[in-house]
Amino acid sequence: MDKAAKWIFAGLALTLSGMAAAKEYPVDPKSGLIMAPGWEQVNYQCNACHTSSIIPQNPGNRKVWRETIQWMVDTQGLWDLSDTWDPVLDYLSTYYGEKEVDMSKFRRMPLPADQQPPLPQS
């Protein structure tokens, strides 16, 4: 099996395992969150400042979620999660983790972050 085929197979396996995990739990009709262990804590903490619909729009691995939440603590007034860091990160990285890019919807792969234009400053 060549390298590209291995990457495709690995991505497919990861995507299918994530889909299987998500399908084991219902989705809360009010928040839209997957009702897996830890969802209530994420629901209460995240919805205190913004809608939970932003969560599936910004999937990431544990490191990405940690950095995103730390940015909220450092710049947006979010309280320190103290002893809830691990359960929140476990939930987010498990049920809203990285996804494969569906190339049937894109002409090319999205630009890496360091090649994207700067965000407008307010």
Side-chain angles (χ1 to χ4, degrees), residues 23-100:
K23 288 184 181 185
E24 292 177 16
Y25 299 100
V27 173
D28 176 49
K30 186 173 181 182
S31 68
L33 294 175
I34 298 167
M35 296 171 65
W39 84 275
E40 292 103 336
Q41 190 163 32
V42 169
N43 185 37
Y44 297 135
Q45 289 184 342
C46 297
N47 280 323
C49 299
H50 58 74
T51 175
S52 57
S53 65
I54 199 169
I55 294 170
Q57 296 171 8
N58 297 284
N61 61 29
R62 189 177 187 87
K63 180 178 185 256
V64 168
W65 280 114
R66 173 73 186 192
E67 290 171 353
T68 301
I69 295 170
Q70 189 62 55
W71 171 82
M72 292 180 209
V73 169
D74 294 342
T75 66
Q76 304 301 305
L78 177 64
W79 57 88
D80 180 31
L81 300 186
S82 39
D83 61 343
T84 64
W85 273 104
D86 282 335
V88 166
L89 293 173
D90 289 345
Y91 175 83
L92 292 172
S93 62
T94 300
Y95 300 101
Y96 297 97
E98 292 180 322
K99 298 178 183 173
E100 290 293 315

